[in-house]
């Protein structure tokens, strides 16, 4: 069983201010359309091309942080701090990485079968089983210049932590911000190496374990620390307190004198999140407060895609054949693919497949395997579907809640999975479609399934749609 990761952000959420009423908006993952709980205005959040920077404000104050140190000292029978403590309050930068992790494992297992022809003798066979899983991957890695005692990662947090866009307004009094000293490109390589390491540790006799990271997204998160230092009581002490939990994370009684100053401070530019009104760019009509990556304006029929992609044909297609009254129109991304990719696809779909398109559902399905199966079925059937342009957003249209970017990621994962399963080499070729279009196909509910109304051949389980 494979589940599509629902929430990539684990314990982080983003707090922003509503431009309409000034109230607080709380945003979670896949948050691009949101309505303000205070004034009801509808907004869309635009993510920048550059990694955005966030700041986490300290939740504890100076006395509370100091209390954390004394608690630790008491528990360890050490002398308590005195008034000579010097305090620094810092926001220390971390790279936060969110991605999708694909794990492919081939395992051998023993199957015992009773064979009648052998006088009911039990016979044992060795069989192979494939396990494929997709899971969210989230990691934080120190991004600042070396500061002894600050943890290399934020680790797994039990708290639900609010991140605010990084801006001078959000910096608390007496806090300094340390610069980012590590480039995203280096961090990315480091993560990819680590993932490869997992493969080596996990290797089994079939030698076909694969772990891959897809679409790592990066942001910078400034995290608050209280740094207390003293030079009395017979020596040096540095205590580092986590500014959110108030827990002491490190106690140093001497500093490593290795020179860590080799970092040059690269000039790192950040992007910022933009909140904009969720309206038609042509006529200003409000768009529906529904998460969809594509709309057709009900007022002026403008095609609106929230993702900018030069491969995308800026119109919506539907199948030519008439649909029935009870049909639901489900959206699909149709990728015209290169010859290289179509070779893999022939392999993947077998003899019946003869198309240069790969079709991926543009609506969310909770189960990755179901999505994969539907991709296979509809891609094979696609040459038999005739499409025409649709100028209106039909009332039976399902929302496009799988983005083009994510659909491309799934396409890549499906192809990659096929390569592993058929041992056709594991070289990563990025999925490189030539063109993309969005089309809707009619499906009617029947018992436990949706069945397509054009060919009566493409099905998927009804319970996969909420
Ligand atoms: Zn508001
Ligand atoms: Zn319009």
């Amino acid at each position: 069983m494979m589940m599509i990761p629902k929430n990539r952000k684990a314990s982080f959420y983003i707090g922003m201010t509503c431009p309409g009423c000034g109230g607080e908006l709380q945003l979670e993952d896949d948050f691009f359309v949101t309505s303000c709980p205070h004034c009801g205005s509808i907004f869309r959040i635009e993510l920048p091309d550059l990694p955005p920077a966030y700041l986490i404000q300290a939740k504890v104050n100076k006395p509370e942080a100091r209390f954390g140190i004394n608690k630790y000292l008491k528990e360890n029978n050490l002398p308590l701090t005195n008034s000579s403590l010097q305090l620094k309050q810092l926001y220390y930068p971390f790279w936060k990485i969110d991605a999708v992790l694909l794990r492919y494992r081939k395992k051998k297992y023993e199957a015992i079968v009773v064979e009648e022809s052998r006088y009911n003798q039990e016979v044992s066979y060795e069989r192979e089983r494939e396990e494929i899983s997709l899971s969210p991957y989230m990691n934080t890695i120190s991004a600042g210049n070396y500061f002894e005692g600050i943890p290399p990662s934020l680790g797994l947090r039990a708290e639900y932590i609010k991140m605010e866009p990084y801006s001078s307004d959000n910096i608390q009094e007496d806090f300094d911000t340390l610069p980012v000293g590590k480039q995203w490109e280096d961090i990315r390589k480091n993560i990819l190496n680590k993932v490869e390491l997992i493969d080596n540790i996990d290797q089994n006799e079939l030698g076909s374990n694969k772990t891959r990271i897809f679409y790592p997204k990066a942001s910078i998160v400034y995290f608050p620390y209280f740094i207390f230092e003293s030079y009395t009581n017979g020596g040096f002490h540095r205590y580092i307190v986590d500014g959110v939990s108030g827990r002491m994370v490190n106690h140093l009684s001497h500093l490593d004198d290795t020179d860590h100053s080799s970092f040059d401070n690269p000039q790192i530019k950040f992007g910022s999140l933009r909140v904009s009104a969720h309206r038609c760019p042509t006529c200003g009509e409000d768009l529906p407060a529904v998460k969809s990556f594509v709309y057709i304006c009900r007022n002026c029929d403008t095609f609106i895609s929230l993702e900018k992609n030069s491969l995308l044909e800026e119109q919506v297609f539907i199948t030519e054949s008439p649909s029935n009254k009870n049909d639901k129109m489900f959206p699909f991304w149709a990728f015209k693919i290169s010859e290289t990719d179509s070779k893999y696809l022939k392999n993947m779909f077998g003899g019946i497949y003869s198309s240069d398109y790969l079709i991926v559902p543009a609506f969310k399905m909770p189960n990755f395997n179901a999505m994969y199966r539907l991709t296979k079925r509809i891609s094979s059937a696609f040459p038999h579907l005739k499409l025409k342009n649709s100028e209106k957003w039909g009332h039976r249209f399902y929302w496009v809640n799988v983005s083009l970017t994510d659909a491309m990621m799934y396409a890549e994962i499906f192809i990659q999975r096929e390569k592993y399963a058929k041992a056709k080499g594991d070289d990563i070729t990025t999925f490189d479609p030539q063109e993309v279009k969005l089309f809707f196909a009619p499906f009617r509910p029947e018992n436990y399934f949706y069945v397509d109304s054009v060919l009566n051949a493409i099905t998927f389980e009804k319970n996969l749609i909420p």
Side-chain angles (χ1 to χ4, degrees):
M1 266 308 260
M2 278 191 286
M3 301 306 281
I4 292 175
K6 273 187 190 150
N7 190 348
R8 293 181 188 176
K9 294 219 164 48
S11 52
F12 296 95
Y13 73 97
I14 300 162
M16 289 184 85
T17 308
C18 167
C21 70
E24 198 193 35
L25 302 173
Q26 294 196 349
L27 310 168
E28 287 178 56
D29 195 9
D30 131 27
F31 53 78
F32 60 93
V33 172
T34 188
S35 66
C36 171
H38 314 288
C39 69
S41 316
I42 299 156
F43 300 104
R44 159 167 102 219
I45 315 299
E46 281 159 25
L47 283 171
D49 292 332
L50 294 169
Y54 300 103
L55 176 112
I56 294 169
Q57 291 195 336
K59 298 276 179 310
V60 295
N61 57 26
K62 234 181 288 182
E64 284 165 337
R66 204 164 160 166
F67 179 81
I69 299 171
N70 283 328
K71 186 165 169 274
Y72 155 84
L73 293 172
K74 245 183 251 168
E75 281 166 5
N76 292 280
N77 292 320
L78 295 166
L80 297 191
T81 56
N82 59 29
S83 55
S84 73
L85 277 183
Q86 305 276 316
L87 173 63
K88 280 182 214 147
Q89 287 156 274
L90 291 183
Y91 292 117
Y92 189 82
F94 290 86
W95 282 110
K96 177 169 174 290
I97 301 101
D98 290 277
V100 176
L101 195 68
L102 169 75
R103 283 198 192 85
Y104 177 86
R105 300 286 180 269
K106 220 174 204 179
K107 289 183 177 163
K108 272 190 181 157
Y109 68 101
E110 202 182 30
I112 305 213
V113 181
V114 177
E115 282 196 8
E116 280 177 37
S117 58
R118 297 197 186 187
Y119 311 102
N120 293 338
Q121 202 180 339
E122 283 185 1
V123 181
S124 114
Y125 291 98
E126 230 176 37
R127 297 216 167 137
E128 287 178 10
R129 181 178 59 210
E130 288 174 335
E131 283 178 10
I132 297 169
S133 70
L134 276 185
S135 51
Y137 173 92
M138 203 281 280
N139 202 352
T140 49
I141 297 173
S142 136
N145 282 351
Y146 185 73
F147 191 104
E148 214 181 331
I150 291 214
S153 154
L154 293 173
L156 287 173
R157 313 286 309 197
E159 319 93 331
Y160 198 47
I161 304 176
K162 180 167 94 171
M163 307 192 297
E164 293 169 56
Y166 177 80
S167 75
S168 51
D169 293 349
N170 291 334
I171 293 177
Q172 290 158 294
E173 212 178 309
D174 298 330
F175 268 86
D176 290 320
T177 305
L178 286 197
V180 173
K182 290 181 196 166
Q183 294 277 17
W184 164 232
E185 210 23 62
D186 298 333
I187 300 283
R188 209 174 68 93
K189 279 188 202 131
N190 182 304
I191 292 169
L192 295 177
N193 287 342
K194 267 193 208 154
V195 165
E196 248 163 58
L197 219 62
I198 303 175
D199 281 348
N200 293 336
I201 296 165
D202 257 7
Q203 213 57 272
N204 63 14
E205 77 269 35
L206 290 168
S208 46
N209 284 344
K210 302 282 179 239
T211 310
R212 290 286 173 269
I213 280 221
F214 285 88
Y215 284 74
K217 289 175 195 159
S219 49
I220 281 284
V221 173
Y222 286 98
F223 194 86
Y225 287 102
F226 291 86
I227 322 274
F228 292 93
E229 284 176 343
S230 75
Y231 292 91
T232 54
N233 282 350
F236 168 78
H237 291 280
R238 175 185 283 175
Y239 308 94
I240 299 188
V241 175
D242 177 314
V244 171
S245 67
R247 274 194 309 270
M248 203 189 73
V249 291
N250 226 333
H251 170 208
L252 309 171
S253 47
H254 67 275
L255 290 182
D256 174 10
D257 46 17
T258 322
D259 183 18
H260 289 280
S261 60
S262 55
F263 281 137
D264 38 344
N265 273 326
Q267 282 302 309
I268 294 189
K269 289 203 176 88
F270 302 119
S272 47
L273 296 184
R274 276 192 35 224
V275 182
S276 54
H278 190 48
R279 287 191 194 126
C280 168
T282 308
C283 73
E285 173 86 1
D286 274 342
L287 296 175
V290 189
K291 286 177 189 172
S292 185
F293 286 89
V294 173
Y295 306 85
I296 294 180
C297 173
R298 63 192 153 203
N299 183 45
C300 72
D301 301 335
T302 302
F303 174 93
I304 301 154
S305 166
L306 298 193
E307 292 173 291
K308 295 287 158 258
N309 192 317
S310 56
L311 299 175
L312 178 64
E313 246 183 277
E314 301 226 327
Q315 47 181 317
V316 162
F317 294 87
I318 52 171
T319 49
E320 246 178 33
S321 328
S323 56
N324 305 312
K325 209 170 60 200
N326 291 330
D327 285 351
K328 264 195 174 172
M329 303 293 283
F330 284 100
F332 295 88
W333 294 110
F335 296 102
K336 189 168 196 303
I337 51 181
S338 68
E339 238 168 84
T340 334
D341 282 331
S342 91
K343 272 184 209 152
Y344 284 115
L345 288 182
K346 286 230 164 72
N347 215 327
M348 171 170 166
F349 297 117
I352 51 161
Y353 178 75
S354 61
S355 172
D356 47 359
Y357 275 87
L358 179 68
I359 317 298
V360 176
F363 54 98
K364 278 219 164 108
M365 301 181 96
N367 178 315
F368 183 80
N369 273 328
M371 193 157 186
Y372 172 68
R373 285 197 304 268
L374 182 54
T375 293
K376 279 174 94 162
R377 285 184 196 133
I378 194 150
S379 298
S380 302
F382 186 69
H384 307 290
L385 299 176
K386 294 212 159 44
L387 301 180
K388 62 177 183 192
N389 177 245
S390 170
E391 259 144 37
K392 299 270 180 211
W393 188 271
H395 65 281
R396 286 173 294 132
F397 281 23
Y398 207 83
W399 298 107
V400 181
N401 52 22
V402 169
S403 70
L404 177 51
T405 313
D406 281 356
M408 283 175 70
M409 174 182 80
Y410 290 126
E412 198 172 312
I413 291 173
F414 294 153
I415 295 173
Q416 197 64 57
R417 171 197 168 149
E418 239 18 59
K419 285 192 212 174
Y420 294 155
K422 303 219 158 83
K424 296 284 177 201
D426 59 358
D427 52 315
I428 299 287
T429 46
T430 14
F431 181 57
D432 185 23
Q434 321 289 296
E435 278 167 40
V436 188
K437 61 176 107 188
L438 178 73
F439 74 93
F440 288 78
F443 284 76
R444 63 174 184 279
E446 249 177 39
N447 297 326
Y448 300 108
F449 293 95
Y450 275 113
V451 183
D452 85 280
S453 298
V454 183
L455 305 169
N456 291 308
I458 312 158
T459 56
F460 61 93
E461 293 90 330
K462 227 157 84 180
N463 63 8
L464 294 173
I465 300 303

